[in-house]
Amino acid sequence: MFKRIVYCSSQFKDDTKGVVAIQFSLALIVITLIIGISIDFGRMIKLKGQLVHAVDSAALAAGSALMDQRLTDQEIERLAEKYLSANVETEFLDGTYTPPEVSVNRVERRILIKTVGKLDTSFAGLMGIHKVNMPIVSETRFDQRDIELGIALDVTGSMYGSKLAALKSAANNLIDVLLSDSGQTNKVRIALAPYAASVNAGNFANTVASGWTRRHTCVHERAGANRFTDAEPRGPDKLGRRWYMSCPSVTVEPLSSNKNRMKSAINRYRASGATAGHLGLAWAWYMISPEWASVFPPDARPAAYNGANTMKAVVLMTDGVFNTRYERRNGDSSSQARSLCEKMKAKGVIVYSVAFRAPRSAQSLLRECSSGSNYYYTTNNSHELEEAFQKIAKRLNSLRLSK
């Protein structure tokens, strides 16, 4: 009997058929738990990404409203909350978030939005983690650099009527944004270069141009080695002038922060003549170029290039093909415009371009002239033109996410 008991005991000790099943069951539990926690982690990452996108969009929208200076702090806060809610509704959140805290700081020109994403876990609850909180913070700030902007505006015959009215409205609104009545901490100055068959240099004509008569203030491009540069207009680098030239009745306006003066000049625009777009572009550059500082009165003299505190930009707007030139050796008007754009961009000038119901060839030129696809706008009606100018004004103010 004793031998039989010993034998049975040894057989029980060596029997491992059930151990594999137990080990597999334990491993399956661990694997399931890891997969479950991974799913919770993925849900958490997705929720955070959705909320970050929604909060950033709300902050940018609120920042744009602050730049426009048309809403109160409370209205901007409600706008941010509305944008956040609208963005979240499209995301089908697998979680919730706390009511956003919106802070408007007009002195520092910033918007701060805070919220907390909340996720109820599934499998992580087995480890005692039932909820996950994710703080979300987004902040927009304005770049405080000074702005020098030259605007080349098409006042040719094809702009007659509703087109010119749309241009005046869009340009005035751009000025309203950049030269806000509530003031700004940075220095903003704007120069205007209306163009048609040529440019009317007004009181500056005798200083910058040589030619037929001192009473004739219409000027055209220069010849010579510096024809596509912003070299100071002296000697051989002076602009040209001819007796048979025609130009807009309104003159160029050098850099100024006088909002009423700028808007009054724009409201006097009349449409007539052909299209020497390269001349308007050149003058928009000349009036923000430090090389031309001696031409203009002290309060209109441009700052130096590459200054850390000054942004220089040009806006070129047209509704048609550039078709008028004077110095034939320089090439046609479009090719001259391309050369001017290339040279000014090389000096750090940002070039925005706006096509207003323009043909494809003009659109191609403007697209090439711009500082990139984000700086070119195609518009087909007055609403789109106004929207393009608004976007340019906001970009010049350099609204950016800082957190």
Side-chain angles (χ1 to χ4, degrees), residues 270-289:
R270 298 292 182 268
S272 66
T275 309
H278 66 294
L279 296 180
L281 176 65
W283 271 89
W285 182 18
Y286 296 158
M287 289 188 289
I288 65 170
S289 167

Side-chain angles (χ1 to χ4, degrees), residues 241-259:
R241 187 162 45 171
R242 303 180 186 183
W243 69 268
Y244 57 82
M245 293 177 67
S246 65
C247 61
S249 59
V250 288
T251 65
V252 297
E253 292 285 341
L255 286 172
S256 174
S257 297
N258 189 322
K259 178 178 177 178

Side-chain angles (χ1 to χ4, degrees), residues 313-332:
V314 160
V315 175
L316 172 61
M317 172 269 161
T318 190
D319 75 329
V321 176
F322 293 177
N323 57 21
T324 302
R325 63 176 177 176
Y326 297 88
E327 296 293 341
R328 294 189 176 276
R329 292 183 179 180
N330 290 356
D332 61 25

Side-chain angles (χ1 to χ4, degrees), residues 101-356:
E101 298 177 22
V102 183
S103 174
V104 179
N105 190 323
R106 291 185 184 272
V107 175
E108 298 180 5
R109 307 180 78 189
R110 67 181 177 89
I111 302 287
L112 180 67
I113 301 179
K114 296 180 180 179
T115 187
V116 177
K118 294 179 173 292
L119 178 70
D120 292 329
T121 64
S122 298
F123 294 92
L126 298 174
M127 300 177 63
I129 304 173
H130 300 286
K131 290 181 179 292
V132 176
N133 294 333
M134 296 165 287
I136 309 294
V137 179
S138 183
E139 182 180 65
T140 59
R141 284 182 179 271
F142 300 118
D143 196 322
Q144 296 297 303
R145 286 188 295 170
D146 296 339
I147 297 172
E148 292 180 356
L149 173 65
I151 311 177
L153 297 172
D154 186 339
V155 293
T156 58
S158 60
M159 289 290 294
Y160 182 80
S162 61
K163 279 187 175 182
L164 186 62
L167 171 60
K168 290 180 180 181
S169 176
N172 280 326
N173 284 335
L174 178 145
I175 288 172
D176 281 333
V177 174
L178 292 178
L179 299 175
S180 171
D181 289 332
S182 61
Q184 56 272 331
T185 57
N186 58 334
K187 183 179 182 181
V188 178
R189 294 187 296 167
I190 300 171
L192 301 175
Y195 68 88
S198 64
V199 168
N200 190 337
N203 293 332
F204 307 114
N206 292 332
T207 302
V208 305
S210 58
W212 183 69
T213 172
R214 295 178 63 83
R215 292 177 296 174
H216 200 62
T217 57
C218 301
V219 299
H220 63 72
E221 68 266 28
R222 55 180 152 198
N226 286 320
R227 58 191 180 276
F228 302 131
T229 74
D230 61 337
E232 185 179 7
R234 286 189 176 185
D237 291 325
K238 280 197 169 186
L239 307 184
R241 187 162 45 171
R242 303 180 186 183
W243 69 268
Y244 57 82
M245 293 177 67
S246 65
C247 61
S249 59
V250 288
T251 65
V252 297
E253 292 285 341
L255 286 172
S256 174
S257 297
N258 189 322
K259 178 178 177 178
N260 292 332
R261 178 179 174 179
M262 293 293 107
K263 297 181 75 170
S264 177
I266 290 170
N267 292 333
R268 293 196 304 271
Y269 286 179
R270 298 292 182 268
S272 66
T275 309
H278 66 294
L279 296 180
L281 176 65
W283 271 89
W285 182 18
Y286 296 158
M287 289 188 289
I288 65 170
S289 167
E291 305 298 334
W292 279 55
S294 63
V295 173
F296 305 115
D299 61 348
R301 289 173 183 167
Y305 281 126
N306 301 318
N309 295 323
T310 303
M311 176 194 305
K312 292 180 182 285
V314 160
V315 175
L316 172 61
M317 172 269 161
T318 190
D319 75 329
V321 176
F322 293 177
N323 57 21
T324 302
R325 63 176 177 176
Y326 297 88
E327 296 293 341
R328 294 189 176 276
R329 292 183 179 180
N330 290 356
D332 61 25
S333 180
S334 293
S335 64
Q336 290 189 56
R338 288 185 175 90
S339 297
L340 287 164
C341 285
E342 180 183 345
K343 294 293 186 181
M344 73 174 76
K345 285 187 288 188
K347 288 200 170 185
V349 176
I350 301 169
V351 181
Y352 295 89
S353 59
V354 182
F356 182 33

